[in-house]
Amino acid sequence: LDQDRICAICYDEMLDNTKAKRLPCNHCFHHHCLRRWVEKNTACPYCWQSFKTLLLLQQRENLIAQLNANNNNNNPPAPG
């Protein structure tokens, strides 16, 4: 089965009308399952990467994307 179709916390299928949450490691869970999980645990229930590490990676990716966008907006046209 596709890992995105099954919540690794409750093992129920992720239906199309289900409120889901995707972590920076790209694993999906029911929103209510993940909320309960993070109250007692400090890592993704599927891959066990720490939430702290995942947040740092996400912040890094966001910063790189912002820098790339700013760089593209600030580059003068090449002399031709």
Side-chain angles (χ1 to χ4, degrees):
L1 292 173
D2 182 7
Q3 71 184 21
D4 285 347
R5 300 300 302 165
I6 303 294
C7 176
I9 299 171
C10 71
Y11 302 108
D12 284 343
E13 185 175 0
M14 303 284 287
L15 302 174
D16 290 338
N17 63 348
T18 302
K19 188 173 181 181
K21 174 69 176 165
R22 183 178 300 274
L23 293 177
C25 57
N26 287 321
H27 296 121
C28 287
F29 308 94
H30 294 115
H31 183 267
H32 62 277
C33 292
L34 189 59
R35 187 179 64 240
R36 286 194 313 258
W37 179 268
V38 299
E39 289 173 359
K40 298 179 183 179
N41 299 280
T42 60
C44 170
Y46 192 85
C47 67
W48 293 100
Q49 284 191 4
S50 77
F51 292 133
K52 183 177 181 179
T53 299
L54 291 172
L55 290 173
L56 290 173
L57 289 172
Q58 185 177 35
Q59 289 174 349
R60 179 179 178 270
E61 289 174 10
N62 291 343
L63 177 60
I64 290 170
Q66 288 175 352
L67 291 171
N68 286 338
N70 288 341
N71 191 33
N72 291 338
N73 292 336
N74 292 331
N75 281 345

Coordinates of all heavy atoms in Angstrom, one line a residue:
L1 N 0.8 -1.2 0.0 CA 0.0 0.0 0.0 C 0.9 1.2 0.0 O 1.9 1.3 0.6 CB -0.9 0.0 1.2 CG -2.0 -1.0 1.3 CD1 -2.7 -1.0 2.6 CD2 -3.0 -0.9 0.2
D2 N 0.3 2.3 -0.6 CA 1.0 3.6 -0.6 C 1.1 4.1 0.8 O 0.1 4.3 1.5 CB 0.3 4.5 -1.6 CG 0.9 5.8 -1.7 OD1 2.0 6.1 -1.2 OD2 0.3 6.7 -2.4
Q3 N 2.3 4.5 1.2 CA 2.4 5.1 2.6 C 1.6 6.3 2.8 O 1.2 6.6 4.0 CB 3.9 5.3 2.9 CG 4.5 6.5 2.2 CD 5.9 6.7 2.5 OE1 6.6 5.7 2.8 NE2 6.4 7.9 2.2
D4 N 1.3 7.1 1.8 CA 0.5 8.3 2.0 C -1.0 8.0 2.1 O -1.8 8.9 2.4 CB 0.7 9.2 0.8 CG 2.0 10.0 0.8 OD1 2.6 9.9 1.9 OD2 2.4 10.6 -0.2
R5 N -1.4 6.8 1.9 CA -2.8 6.4 1.9 C -3.2 5.8 3.3 O -4.4 5.6 3.6 CB -3.2 5.4 0.8 CG -3.0 5.9 -0.6 CD -3.8 7.2 -0.9 NE -5.2 7.0 -0.8 CZ -6.1 8.0 -0.7 NH1 -5.7 9.2 -0.8 NH2 -7.4 7.7 -0.5
I6 N -2.2 5.5 4.1 CA -2.4 4.8 5.4 C -1.8 5.7 6.5 O -0.6 6.0 6.4 CB -1.8 3.4 5.5 CG1 -2.4 2.5 4.4 CG2 -2.0 2.8 6.8 CD1 -3.9 2.2 4.5
C7 N -2.5 6.0 7.5 CA -1.9 6.8 8.6 C -1.1 5.8 9.5 O -1.6 4.8 9.9 CB -3.1 7.4 9.5 SG -2.5 8.2 11.0
A8 N 0.2 6.1 9.6 CA 1.1 5.2 10.4 C 0.8 5.3 11.9 O 1.5 4.5 12.6 CB 2.5 5.6 10.1
I9 N -0.1 6.1 12.3 CA -0.4 6.1 13.8 C -1.6 5.2 14.1 O -1.5 4.4 14.9 CB -0.7 7.6 14.2 CG1 0.6 8.4 14.0 CG2 -1.1 7.6 15.7 CD1 0.4 9.9 14.2
C10 N -2.7 5.4 13.3 CA -3.9 4.6 13.6 C -4.1 3.5 12.6 O -4.9 2.6 12.8 CB -5.1 5.5 13.6 SG -5.6 6.1 12.0
Y11 N -3.3 3.5 11.5 CA -3.4 2.5 10.4 C -4.7 2.5 9.6 O -5.0 1.5 8.9 CB -3.1 1.1 11.0 CG -1.8 1.0 11.7 CD1 -1.7 0.9 13.1 CD2 -0.6 1.0 10.9 CE1 -0.4 0.8 13.7 CE2 0.7 1.0 11.6 CZ 0.7 0.9 12.9 OH 1.9 0.8 13.6
D12 N -5.5 3.5 9.8 CA -6.7 3.7 8.9 C -6.3 4.4 7.6 O -5.3 5.1 7.5 CB -7.7 4.5 9.7 CG -8.4 3.7 10.7 OD1 -8.4 2.5 10.7 OD2 -9.1 4.4 11.6
E13 N -7.1 4.1 6.6 CA -6.9 4.7 5.3 C -7.1 6.2 5.4 O -8.0 6.7 6.1 CB -7.8 4.1 4.3 CG -7.6 4.6 2.9 CD -8.4 3.9 1.8 OE1 -9.2 3.0 2.2 OE2 -8.3 4.2 0.7
M14 N -6.4 7.0 4.6 CA -6.5 8.4 4.5 C -7.5 8.7 3.4 O -7.2 8.6 2.2 CB -5.2 9.1 4.2 CG -4.1 8.8 5.2 SD -4.2 9.7 6.7 CE -3.8 11.3 6.1
L15 N -8.7 9.0 3.7 CA -9.8 9.2 2.8 C -9.6 10.6 2.2 O -9.0 11.5 2.8 CB -11.2 9.0 3.4 CG -11.4 7.7 4.0 CD1 -12.7 7.6 4.8 CD2 -11.3 6.6 3.0
D16 N -10.2 10.8 1.0 CA -10.1 12.1 0.3 C -10.6 13.3 1.1 O -10.1 14.4 1.0 CB -10.8 12.1 -1.0 CG -10.0 11.2 -2.0 OD1 -8.8 10.9 -1.8 OD2 -10.6 10.7 -3.0
N17 N -11.6 13.0 2.0 CA -12.2 14.1 2.8 C -11.6 14.2 4.2 O -12.1 15.0 5.0 CB -13.7 13.9 2.9 CG -14.1 12.7 3.6 OD1 -13.2 11.8 3.8 ND2 -15.4 12.5 3.9
T18 N -10.5 13.5 4.4 CA -9.9 13.5 5.7 C -8.9 14.7 5.8 O -8.2 15.0 4.9 CB -9.0 12.2 5.8 OG1 -9.8 11.1 5.7 CG2 -8.3 12.1 7.2
K19 N -9.0 15.3 7.0 CA -8.1 16.4 7.3 C -6.7 15.8 7.6 O -6.6 15.1 8.6 CB -8.6 17.2 8.5 CG -7.8 18.5 8.7 CD -8.4 19.4 9.8 CE -7.6 20.6 10.0 NZ -8.2 21.5 11.0
A20 N -5.7 16.0 6.7 CA -4.4 15.4 6.9 C -3.3 16.4 7.1 O -3.5 17.6 6.8 CB -4.1 14.5 5.6
K21 N -2.2 16.0 7.6 CA -1.1 16.8 7.8 C 0.2 16.1 7.3 O 0.4 14.9 7.5 CB -0.9 17.1 9.3 CG 0.4 17.8 9.7 CD 0.3 19.2 9.2 CE 1.5 20.0 9.7 NZ 1.7 21.3 9.0
R22 N 0.9 16.8 6.4 CA 2.2 16.3 5.9 C 3.4 16.9 6.6 O 3.5 18.1 6.7 CB 2.3 16.5 4.4 CG 3.5 15.9 3.7 CD 3.5 16.2 2.2 NE 2.4 15.6 1.5 CZ 2.3 14.4 1.1 NH1 3.3 13.6 1.3 NH2 1.2 13.9 0.5
L23 N 4.2 16.1 7.1 CA 5.4 16.6 7.8 C 6.5 16.9 6.8 O 6.4 16.5 5.6 CB 5.9 15.5 8.8 CG 5.1 15.1 10.0 CD1 5.7 14.0 10.8 CD2 4.9 16.4 10.8
P24 N 7.5 17.6 7.2 CA 8.6 18.0 6.2 C 9.3 16.7 5.6 O 9.9 16.8 4.6 CB 9.6 18.8 7.1 CG 8.7 19.4 8.2 CD 7.7 18.4 8.4
C25 N 9.2 15.6 6.3 CA 9.8 14.3 5.7 C 8.8 13.7 4.7 O 9.1 12.7 4.1 CB 10.1 13.3 6.8 SG 8.6 12.9 7.9
N26 N 7.7 14.4 4.4 CA 6.7 14.0 3.4 C 5.8 12.9 3.8 O 5.1 12.3 3.0 CB 7.4 13.7 2.1 CG 7.8 15.0 1.4 OD1 7.1 16.0 1.4 ND2 9.0 14.9 0.8
H27 N 5.8 12.5 5.1 CA 4.9 11.5 5.6 C 3.6 12.1 6.0 O 3.6 13.2 6.6 CB 5.5 10.7 6.7 CG 6.7 9.9 6.2 ND1 7.9 10.1 6.8 CD2 6.8 9.0 5.2 CE1 8.8 9.3 6.1 NE2 8.1 8.6 5.2
C28 N 2.4 11.5 5.7 CA 1.1 12.1 6.0 C 0.4 11.3 7.1 O 0.5 10.1 7.2 CB 0.2 12.0 4.7 SG 0.6 13.2 3.5
F29 N -0.4 12.0 7.9 CA -1.1 11.4 9.0 C -2.4 12.2 9.1 O -2.6 13.3 8.7 CB -0.3 11.6 10.3 CG 1.1 11.0 10.2 CD1 2.1 11.9 9.8 CD2 1.4 9.7 10.3 CE1 3.4 11.4 9.7 CE2 2.6 9.2 10.2 CZ 3.7 10.1 9.9
H30 N -3.4 11.5 9.8 CA -4.6 12.3 10.1 C -4.2 13.4 11.1 O -3.3 13.2 12.0 CB -5.6 11.3 10.9 CG -6.1 10.2 10.0 ND1 -5.8 8.9 10.3 CD2 -6.9 10.3 8.9 CE1 -6.5 8.2 9.4 NE2 -7.1 9.0 8.6
H31 N -4.8 14.5 10.9 CA -4.4 15.7 11.7 C -4.6 15.4 13.2 O -3.7 15.6 14.0 CB -5.3 16.9 11.3 CG -5.0 18.1 12.1 ND1 -5.7 18.5 13.2 CD2 -4.1 19.1 11.8 CE1 -5.2 19.6 13.6 NE2 -4.2 20.0 12.8
H32 N -5.7 14.8 13.6 CA -6.0 14.5 15.0 C -5.0 13.4 15.6 O -4.7 13.5 16.7 CB -7.5 14.1 15.2 CG -7.9 12.8 14.5 ND1 -8.2 12.8 13.2 CD2 -7.9 11.5 14.9 CE1 -8.5 11.6 12.8 NE2 -8.3 10.8 13.9
C33 N -4.6 12.5 14.7 CA -3.7 11.5 15.2 C -2.3 12.1 15.5 O -1.7 11.8 16.5 CB -3.5 10.4 14.1 SG -5.0 9.3 13.9
L34 N -1.9 12.9 14.5 CA -0.6 13.6 14.7 C -0.6 14.5 15.9 O 0.4 14.6 16.6 CB -0.2 14.3 13.4 CG 1.2 14.8 13.3 CD1 2.2 13.7 13.5 CD2 1.5 15.6 12.1
R35 N -1.7 15.2 16.1 CA -1.7 16.1 17.2 C -1.5 15.4 18.5 O -0.7 15.8 19.4 CB -3.1 16.9 17.3 CG -3.1 18.0 18.3 CD -4.4 18.8 18.3 NE -5.5 17.9 18.7 CZ -6.6 17.6 17.9 NH1 -6.7 18.2 16.8 NH2 -7.5 16.8 18.3
R36 N -2.2 14.2 18.7 CA -2.0 13.4 19.9 C -0.6 12.8 20.0 O 0.0 12.7 21.0 CB -3.0 12.3 19.9 CG -4.4 12.7 20.3 CD -5.4 11.6 20.6 NE -5.3 10.5 19.7 CZ -6.2 10.3 18.7 NH1 -7.2 11.0 18.6 NH2 -6.0 9.2 17.9
W37 N -0.1 12.4 18.8 CA 1.3 11.9 18.7 C 2.3 12.8 19.3 O 3.2 12.5 20.1 CB 1.6 11.4 17.3 CG 3.0 10.8 17.1 CD1 4.1 11.5 16.8 CD2 3.3 9.5 17.3 NE1 5.2 10.6 16.8 CE2 4.7 9.4 17.1 CE3 2.6 8.3 17.7 CZ2 5.4 8.2 17.2 CZ3 3.3 7.1 17.8 CH2 4.7 7.1 17.5
V38 N 2.3 14.1 18.8 CA 3.4 15.0 19.1 C 3.3 15.5 20.6 O 4.3 16.0 21.1 CB 3.4 16.3 18.2 CG1 3.6 15.9 16.8 CG2 2.1 17.1 18.3
E39 N 2.2 15.2 21.2 CA 2.1 15.6 22.7 C 2.9 14.6 23.5 O 3.4 15.0 24.6 CB 0.6 15.5 23.2 CG -0.3 16.6 22.6 CD -1.7 16.4 23.0 OE1 -2.1 15.4 23.6 OE2 -2.5 17.3 22.6
K40 N 3.2 13.4 23.0 CA 4.0 12.4 23.7 C 5.3 12.0 23.1 O 6.0 11.2 23.7 CB 3.1 11.2 23.9 CG 1.8 11.5 24.7 CD 1.0 10.2 24.9 CE -0.3 10.6 25.6 NZ -1.2 9.5 25.8
N41 N 5.5 12.3 21.8 CA 6.7 11.8 21.1 C 7.4 13.0 20.4 O 6.8 14.1 20.2 CB 6.2 10.8 20.0 CG 5.5 9.6 20.6 OD1 6.2 8.7 21.1 ND2 4.2 9.6 20.6
T42 N 8.6 12.7 20.0 CA 9.5 13.8 19.5 C 10.0 13.5 18.1 O 10.9 14.1 17.6 CB 10.7 14.1 20.4 OG1 11.5 12.9 20.5 CG2 10.2 14.6 21.7
A43 N 9.4 12.5 17.4 CA 9.8 12.1 16.1 C 8.7 11.6 15.2 O 7.6 11.3 15.7 CB 10.9 11.0 16.2
C44 N 8.9 11.6 13.9 CA 7.9 11.2 12.9 C 7.6 9.7 13.2 O 8.5 8.9 13.4 CB 8.4 11.3 11.5 SG 7.4 10.5 10.3
P45 N 6.3 9.3 13.3 CA 6.0 7.9 13.6 C 6.3 6.9 12.5 O 6.2 5.7 12.7 CB 4.5 8.0 13.9 CG 4.0 9.2 13.3 CD 5.1 10.2 13.2
Y46 N 6.6 7.5 11.3 CA 6.9 6.6 10.2 C 8.4 6.4 10.0 O 8.9 5.2 9.9 CB 6.3 7.1 8.9 CG 6.3 6.1 7.8 CD1 5.3 5.1 7.6 CD2 7.4 6.1 6.8 CE1 5.4 4.2 6.6 CE2 7.4 5.2 5.8 CZ 6.4 4.2 5.7 OH 6.4 3.3 4.7
C47 N 9.2 7.5 9.9 CA 10.6 7.3 9.7 C 11.5 7.6 10.9 O 12.7 7.5 10.9 CB 11.1 8.3 8.5 SG 10.9 10.0 8.9
W48 N 10.9 8.1 12.0 CA 11.5 8.4 13.2 C 12.6 9.5 13.2 O 13.4 9.6 14.1 CB 12.1 7.1 13.9 CG 11.0 6.2 14.2 CD1 10.6 5.1 13.5 CD2 10.1 6.3 15.3 NE1 9.5 4.5 14.1 CE2 9.2 5.2 15.3 CE3 10.0 7.2 16.4 CZ2 8.2 5.0 16.2 CZ3 9.0 7.0 17.4 CH2 8.1 5.9 17.2
Q49 N 12.5 10.4 12.2 CA 13.3 11.6 12.2 C 12.8 12.5 13.3 O 11.5 12.6 13.4 CB 13.3 12.3 10.9 CG 14.1 11.6 9.8 CD 14.3 12.5 8.6 OE1 13.8 13.7 8.5 NE2 14.9 12.0 7.6
S50 N 13.7 13.1 14.0 CA 13.2 14.0 15.1 C 12.5 15.2 14.5 O 12.8 15.7 13.4 CB 14.4 14.5 16.0 OG 15.1 15.5 15.3
F51 N 11.5 15.7 15.2 CA 10.7 16.9 14.8 C 11.7 18.1 14.7 O 11.5 18.9 13.8 CB 9.5 17.2 15.7 CG 8.5 16.2 15.6 CD1 7.9 15.6 16.7 CD2 8.0 15.7 14.4 CE1 6.9 14.7 16.7 CE2 7.0 14.8 14.3 CZ 6.4 14.3 15.4
K52 N 12.6 18.2 15.6 CA 13.6 19.3 15.6 C 14.4 19.3 14.3 O 14.5 20.3 13.7 CB 14.5 19.2 16.9 CG 15.4 20.3 17.0 CD 16.3 20.2 18.3 CE 17.2 21.4 18.4 NZ 18.0 21.3 19.6
T53 N 14.9 18.1 13.9 CA 15.6 18.0 12.7 C 14.7 18.4 11.5 O 15.2 19.1 10.6 CB 16.2 16.6 12.5 OG1 17.1 16.3 13.6 CG2 16.9 16.4 11.2
L54 N 13.5 17.9 11.5 CA 12.6 18.1 10.4 C 12.3 19.6 10.2 O 12.2 20.1 9.1 CB 11.3 17.3 10.5 CG 11.4 15.8 10.4 CD1 10.1 15.1 10.8 CD2 11.9 15.4 9.0
L55 N 12.1 20.3 11.4 CA 11.8 21.7 11.3 C 13.0 22.5 10.8 O 12.9 23.4 10.1 CB 11.4 22.2 12.7 CG 10.0 21.7 13.2 CD1 9.8 22.1 14.6 CD2 8.9 22.3 12.2
L56 N 14.2 22.1 11.3 CA 15.4 22.8 10.8 C 15.6 22.6 9.3 O 16.0 23.5 8.6 CB 16.7 22.3 11.6 CG 16.7 22.7 13.0 CD1 17.9 22.0 13.7 CD2 16.9 24.2 13.1
L57 N 15.3 21.4 8.8 CA 15.5 21.1 7.4 C 14.4 21.9 6.6 O 14.8 22.5 5.5 CB 15.3 19.6 7.1 CG 16.4 18.7 7.5 CD1 16.0 17.2 7.3 CD2 17.7 19.0 6.7
Q58 N 13.2 22.0 7.1 CA 12.2 22.8 6.4 C 12.6 24.3 6.4 O 12.4 25.0 5.4 CB 10.9 22.6 7.1 CG 9.7 23.3 6.4 CD 8.4 23.1 7.0 OE1 8.3 23.0 8.3 NE2 7.4 23.0 6.2
Q59 N 13.1 24.8 7.5 CA 13.5 26.2 7.6 C 14.7 26.5 6.6 O 14.7 27.5 5.9 CB 14.0 26.6 9.0 CG 12.8 26.7 10.0 CD 13.3 26.9 11.4 OE1 14.5 26.8 11.7 NE2 12.4 27.2 12.3
R60 N 15.6 25.5 6.5 CA 16.7 25.6 5.5 C 16.2 25.7 4.1 O 16.6 26.5 3.3 CB 17.7 24.5 5.7 CG 18.8 24.5 4.8 CD 19.8 23.3 5.0 NE 20.9 23.3 4.1 CZ 20.9 22.7 2.9 NH1 19.8 22.0 2.5 NH2 21.9 22.7 2.1
E61 N 15.2 24.8 3.8 CA 14.7 24.7 2.4 C 13.9 26.0 2.1 O 14.0 26.6 1.0 CB 13.7 23.5 2.3 CG 14.5 22.2 2.2 CD 13.6 21.0 2.2 OE1 12.3 21.2 2.0 OE2 14.1 19.9 2.3
N62 N 13.2 26.5 3.1 CA 12.5 27.8 2.9 C 13.4 29.0 2.7 O 13.2 29.8 1.8 CB 11.6 28.1 4.1 CG 10.4 27.2 4.2 OD1 10.0 26.5 3.2 ND2 9.8 27.1 5.4
L63 N 14.5 29.0 3.4 CA 15.5 30.0 3.3 C 16.2 30.0 1.9 O 16.3 31.0 1.2 CB 16.6 29.9 4.3 CG 17.7 30.9 4.3 CD1 17.2 32.4 4.4 CD2 18.7 30.7 5.4
I64 N 16.5 28.8 1.4 CA 17.1 28.6 0.1 C 16.1 29.1 -1.0 O 16.5 29.8 -1.9 CB 17.6 27.2 -0.1 CG1 18.8 26.8 0.8 CG2 17.9 26.9 -1.6 CD1 19.1 25.4 0.8
A65 N 14.9 28.7 -0.8 CA 13.9 29.1 -1.8 C 13.8 30.7 -1.9 O 13.7 31.3 -2.9 CB 12.5 28.5 -1.5
Q66 N 13.7 31.3 -0.7 CA 13.7 32.7 -0.6 C 14.9 33.4 -1.2 O 14.8 34.4 -2.0 CB 13.5 33.2 0.8 CG 12.2 32.9 1.5 CD 12.1 33.3 2.9 OE1 13.2 33.6 3.5 NE2 11.0 33.2 3.5
L67 N 16.1 32.9 -0.9 CA 17.3 33.4 -1.5 C 17.3 33.3 -3.0 O 17.7 34.2 -3.7 CB 18.5 32.8 -0.9 CG 18.7 33.1 0.6 CD1 19.9 32.2 1.2 CD2 19.1 34.6 0.8
N68 N 16.9 32.1 -3.5 CA 16.8 31.9 -4.9 C 15.8 32.9 -5.6 O 16.1 33.4 -6.7 CB 16.5 30.5 -5.3 CG 17.6 29.5 -5.0 OD1 18.8 29.9 -5.0 ND2 17.3 28.3 -4.8
A69 N 14.7 33.1 -5.0 CA 13.7 34.0 -5.5 C 14.2 35.5 -5.5 O 14.1 36.2 -6.5 CB 12.4 34.0 -4.7
N70 N 14.9 35.9 -4.4 CA 15.5 37.2 -4.4 C 16.6 37.4 -5.4 O 16.7 38.4 -6.0 CB 16.0 37.5 -3.0 CG 14.9 37.7 -2.0 OD1 13.8 38.0 -2.3 ND2 15.2 37.6 -0.7
N71 N 17.4 36.3 -5.6 CA 18.5 36.4 -6.5 C 18.0 36.6 -7.9 O 18.5 37.3 -8.7 CB 19.4 35.1 -6.4 CG 20.7 35.2 -7.2 OD1 21.2 36.3 -7.3 ND2 21.1 34.1 -7.7
N72 N 16.9 35.8 -8.3 CA 16.3 35.9 -9.6 C 15.7 37.3 -9.8 O 15.7 37.8 -10.9 CB 15.2 34.9 -9.8 CG 15.9 33.5 -9.9 OD1 17.0 33.4 -10.2 ND2 15.1 32.5 -9.6
N73 N 15.2 38.0 -8.8 CA 14.6 39.3 -8.9 C 15.6 40.4 -8.9 O 15.3 41.5 -9.5 CB 13.6 39.5 -7.7 CG 12.4 38.6 -7.8 OD1 12.0 38.1 -8.9 ND2 11.7 38.4 -6.7
N74 N 16.8 40.2 -8.4 CA 17.8 41.2 -8.2 C 18.8 41.2 -9.3 O 19.7 42.1 -9.4 CB 18.4 41.2 -6.9 CG 17.5 41.5 -5.7 OD1 16.5 42.3 -6.0 ND2 17.7 41.0 -4.6
N75 N 18.9 40.1 -10.1 CA 19.9 40.1 -11.2 C 19.6 41.0 -12.3 O 18.5 40.9 -12.9 CB 20.0 38.6 -11.7 CG 20.8 37.7 -10.8 OD1 21.5 38.2 -9.9 ND2 20.6 36.4 -11.0
P76 N 20.5 41.9 -12.6 CA 20.3 42.7 -13.8 C 20.4 41.9 -15.1 O 21.0 40.8 -15.0 CB 21.4 43.7 -13.7 CG 22.5 43.1 -12.9 CD 21.8 42.1 -11.9
P77 N 19.8 42.3 -16.1 CA 19.9 41.6 -17.4 C 21.4 41.5 -17.8 O 22.2 42.4 -17.6 CB 19.1 42.4 -18.4 CG 18.4 43.5 -17.6 CD 19.0 43.5 -16.2
A78 N 21.7 40.4 -18.4 CA 23.1 40.1 -18.9 C 23.4 41.1 -20.0 O 22.5 41.4 -20.8 CB 23.2 38.7 -19.3
P79 N 24.6 41.6 -20.0 CA 25.0 42.5 -21.1 C 24.9 41.8 -22.4 O 25.3 40.6 -22.5 CB 26.4 43.0 -20.8 CG 26.8 42.2 -19.6 CD 25.7 41.4 -19.1
G80 N 24.5 42.4 -23.4 CA 24.4 41.7 -24.7 C 24.7 42.5 -25.8 O 24.9 42.6 -26.8

